[in-house]
Amino acid sequence: RSFVDSVAVYEVIRQTLIVTLLSSAPVLVVALGVGLSIAFFQALTQIQEMTLTFVPKIVAIFITVALSTPFIFSTLLTLSDRIFDLISNGGF
């Protein structure tokens, strides 16, 4: 019984880590893309303004969070449904 419980716990941890990575991926990809393009722009023009690095990145992140909220919600809802089903079936 102890082996089955540890396998179930490891599976829940694995699924939780995957959901965390999937949920944060859109924001991280956009932040990376905007950061790289701003860095290229600054390298080409030699403009070293500090607000140029932060303001566009923050705006892009807010827009991405607003647009990807349904995806993040459905991903988290699927994980929570799996965990609640596991709990109600006596898996934990």
Side-chain angles (χ1 to χ4, degrees):
R1 178 87 184 157
S2 174
F3 176 72
V4 174
D5 290 342
S6 65
V7 170
V9 169
Y10 289 138
E11 181 63 24
V12 168
I13 291 171
R14 186 186 69 80
Q15 289 177 359
T16 303
L17 290 173
I18 290 172
V19 166
T20 303
L21 290 174
L22 284 175
S23 298
S24 62
V27 175
L28 293 176
V29 168
V30 167
L32 177 68
V34 171
L36 283 175
S37 48
I38 290 172
F40 286 139
F41 176 76
Q42 284 183 327
L44 291 174
T45 61
Q46 295 186 359
I47 298 174
Q48 298 300 322
E49 181 66 32
M50 290 303 293
T51 57
L52 184 63
T53 60
F54 293 116
V55 174
K57 195 183 295 187
I58 289 173
V59 169
I61 287 172
F62 280 138
I63 290 171
T64 305
V65 167
L67 293 177
S68 65
T69 300
F71 168 72
I72 294 170
F73 175 74
S74 67
T75 306
L76 292 174
L77 185 65
T78 303
L79 176 68
S80 64
D81 286 343
R82 285 183 196 162
I83 291 174
F84 288 138
D85 286 342
L86 189 62
I87 291 171
S88 66
N89 291 333
F92 277 128

